[in-house]
Amino acid sequence: MTDMRVSGQDYKAGCPPVDGEMLEDHGAAPEDGDDQVDPWSVSSSSAKGVDYDKLIVRFGSSKIDQELVDRIARVTGKTPHRFLRRGVFFSHRDMHQILDAFEKQKSFYLYTGRGPSSEAMHVGHLIPFIFTKWLQDVFDVPLVIQMTDDEKYLWKDLSLDECHRYAVENARDIIACGFDVNKTFIFSDLDYMGASPAFYRNVVKVQKHVTFNQVKGIFGFTDSDCIGKISFPAIQAAPSFSSSFPQIFGERTDVQCLIPCAIDQDPYFRMTRDVAPRIGYPKPALLHSTFFPALQGAQTKMSASEANSSIFLTDSAKQIKNKINKHAFSGGKDTVEEHRKCGGNPDMDVSFMYLSFFLEDDDQLEKIRQDYSSGALLTGELKKCLIETLQPMIAAHQERRRLVTDEIVQQFMSPRKLHFNC
Ligand code: TRP
């Protein structure tokens, strides 16, 4: 949706918005040649993908540096997830605060979400959920997952029934990632907004404290966007506050929230963090991930609407093999002779990038990087390695999904008490 670019103009440093309010975590205005990153589109002109260090500066977030990764290891007593070791989650807001409190036995909760725009989920969609599952395990905290079927109805040409059905079908894939039913609440906005007065009250509070001018600045809305879109950010903000879930947190309005998400969702939470203190709530902390590249190259992210750019969670072993062999952009040389002589470029190679997301063994990954760079490993061999990593992973996902019955989905999606030790 190209008319949805983040203009950011109102929040340019030294240039306060017209109504005089300034976001504390503001992003600077994008300049010519900058990568485009907003909730509706992501693109870069570089085959290596988005320049994430620049994005941290532009968005005003903080880098997840080695010190923070070591601290997470110390506090949890667990080896950091490969997504932390390899910089897949690369940026944060207030993670040290979460850890400070956790060390003093003060708990928190996790919030993430998914916009269910189709039945087809791809491997890139799993990244935040795989990581959130790890966070839930190592910190032993409750988790809420928002399925924004309302958002997809407002933005896409889909009926309410279709969006709601996709929310439930996608929830099945999310459950298949292994979440603990005693600690996880998955909700469809279309269902929960009407069923929970506490949730709706928080939506209204946020709506009262954000002006049209502000959402225009943050999201690039225009006068011709429907009012549903304009007020939607308040609905994505509300789960960041523990009082939206009295069945989980009782009377507590002060349980802090940690949101793992892809960095394109940050505009929603810059807004949320700006509003939070003004309505008496703690600001949510954030962990941001990079994007999962399209098969054709890291200039764009994997997209379910482009079948050839994606490996779907429903693909067969054969389809996975064919797609990778046919479409995965290679950083190798044109001929074997040249490749042997000069070596390939792993930083532009989509198969290598995917392996860095999914291959668990650090030493094996490093050896692949070296052998590919030296020319000892050919593109076909690298692709074979990726195929052999993804095939069993996706087959295992399909098997776990098969076991997620309607009753199990129902259980996850019913508002209820969760295990929570504050
Ligand atoms: N807007 C997100 C999407 O389209 C869905 C979402 C809602 C979300 N709440 C979230 C994602 C919190 C990450 C964290 O996919």
Side-chain angles (χ1 to χ4, degrees):
M1 243 170 255
T2 44
D3 58 327
M4 284 293 155
R5 298 181 62 138
V6 168
S7 78
Q9 297 300 357
D10 287 347
Y11 299 105
K12 204 171 177 175
C15 169
V18 196
D19 61 357
E21 286 176 87
M22 184 91 160
L23 289 191
E24 189 193 312
D25 301 311
H26 66 88
E31 288 167 15
D32 280 354
D34 272 354
D35 301 319
Q36 187 181 347
V37 176
D38 65 53
W40 299 279
S41 73
V42 172
S43 67
S44 163
S45 54
S46 162
K48 291 181 185 172
V50 170
D51 184 331
Y52 290 105
D53 285 331
K54 254 177 131 176
L55 212 55
I56 287 175
V57 176
R58 212 169 98 199
F59 282 12
S61 60
S62 309
K63 193 180 170 78
I64 298 184
D65 53 14
Q66 194 55 45
E67 189 201 330
L68 178 55
V69 175
D70 292 344
R71 186 168 179 216
I72 293 173
R74 239 181 5 257
V75 171
T76 63
K78 298 283 182 343
T79 306
H81 192 272
R82 61 181 186 277
F83 291 169
L84 283 173
R85 305 199 299 270
R86 306 204 184 131
V88 169
F89 277 78
F90 72 102
S91 155
H92 76 102
R93 295 185 191 275
D94 287 344
M95 187 59 194
H96 280 292
Q97 194 184 311
I98 292 276
L99 295 173
D100 289 344
F102 193 77
E103 280 180 326
K104 294 185 193 123
Q105 327 298 327
K106 264 182 74 182
S107 198
F108 63 95
Y109 74 102
L110 293 160
Y111 158 41
T112 189
R114 150 125 190 107
S117 49
S118 76
E119 211 165 320
M121 283 178 69
H122 57 61
V123 284
H125 291 139
L126 290 184
I127 305 301
F129 295 106
I130 291 171
F131 189 61
T132 303
K133 148 87 178 137
W134 182 81
L135 290 170
Q136 179 178 65
D137 287 348
V138 302
F139 286 104
D140 188 28
V141 289
L143 159 68
V144 297
I145 302 177
Q146 179 179 46
M147 306 300 290
T148 53
D149 38 14
D150 51 349
E151 175 190 18
K152 294 302 147 183
Y153 172 71
L154 291 166
W155 262 271
K156 306 255 169 182
D157 186 18
L158 296 167
S159 72
L160 276 171
D161 283 339
E162 280 169 320
C163 294
H164 186 262
R165 192 168 63 79
Y166 297 155
V168 176
E169 283 313 303
N170 289 182
R172 234 181 262 283
D173 280 295
I174 293 169
I175 293 166
C177 292
F179 292 105
D180 180 346
V181 70
N182 296 312
K183 283 185 243 147
T184 309
F185 173 45
I186 306 178
F187 61 98
S188 131
D189 281 344
L190 292 175
D191 292 336
Y192 192 60
M193 275 277 280
S196 169
F199 188 91
Y200 187 56
R201 280 170 178 241
N202 280 337
V203 170
V204 175
K205 276 191 188 172
V206 176
Q207 285 173 342
K208 182 165 174 166
H209 290 83
V210 181
T211 65
F212 182 31
N213 198 52
Q214 284 175 316
V215 289
K216 268 191 199 167
I218 302 169
F219 299 98
F221 295 142
T222 68
D223 287 359
S224 49
D225 279 309
C226 72
I227 60 173
K229 288 185 184 178
I230 291 155
S231 59
F232 173 75
I235 301 173
Q236 184 153 333
S240 315
F241 308 127
S242 62
S243 58
S244 295
F245 306 99
Q247 70 278 13
I248 305 172
F249 303 108
E251 306 271 281
R252 297 274 306 268
T253 60
D254 62 339
V255 185
Q256 222 203 333
C257 175
L258 172 63
I259 307 172
C261 63
I263 186 109
D264 63 331
Q265 298 297 305
D266 190 64
Y268 286 109
F269 301 118
R270 287 205 288 269
M271 185 200 84
T272 308
R273 286 169 53 87
D274 180 58
V275 175
R278 293 192 277 129
I279 57 176
Y281 296 142
K283 292 181 181 192
L286 287 142
L287 291 169
H288 297 123
S289 76
T290 61
F291 303 109
F292 195 74
L295 275 165
Q296 282 74 10
Q299 289 90 345
T300 54
K301 63 174 179 170
M302 190 172 268
S303 158
S305 51
E306 306 215 11
N308 283 335
S309 84
S310 296
I311 295 172
F312 293 104
L313 299 178
T314 47
D315 282 349
S316 66
K318 197 165 156 208
Q319 283 171 312
I320 295 170
K321 179 173 166 198
N322 289 343
K323 278 189 194 172
I324 292 170
N325 281 333
K326 205 161 154 197
H327 299 294
F329 182 80
S330 167
K333 297 290 182 295
D334 289 343
T335 64
V336 173
E337 291 70 38
E338 208 193 330
H339 188 89
R340 289 275 188 232
K341 205 168 121 218
C342 311
N345 183 351
D347 296 333
M348 281 169 47
D349 191 286
V350 168
S351 301
F352 184 79
M353 291 180 203
Y354 288 7
L355 278 173
S356 65
F357 280 84
F358 294 118
L359 191 69
E360 180 58 32
D361 188 325
D362 291 342
D363 296 337
Q364 199 186 346
L365 186 70
E366 184 49 31
K367 180 153 175 24
I368 292 172
R369 170 191 277 285
Q370 284 172 10
D371 288 352
Y372 195 60
S373 305
S374 74
L377 191 73
L378 297 174
T379 293
E381 293 164 333
L382 175 64
K383 288 192 171 188
K384 184 160 177 281
C385 185
L386 174 64
I387 292 162
E388 286 169 0
T389 304
L390 286 185
Q391 280 174 335
M393 186 188 105
I394 291 175
H397 179 88
Q398 290 167 357
E399 178 56 19
R400 286 193 306 268
R401 188 185 199 277
R402 211 176 50 77
L403 299 174
V404 180
T405 60
D406 291 349
E407 291 72 58
I408 295 177
V409 176
Q410 255 303 310
Q411 244 181 316
F412 272 93
M413 298 188 81
S414 317
R416 76 218 116 95
K417 210 172 158 46
L418 300 181
H419 290 187
F420 173 58
N421 314 313
C422 36

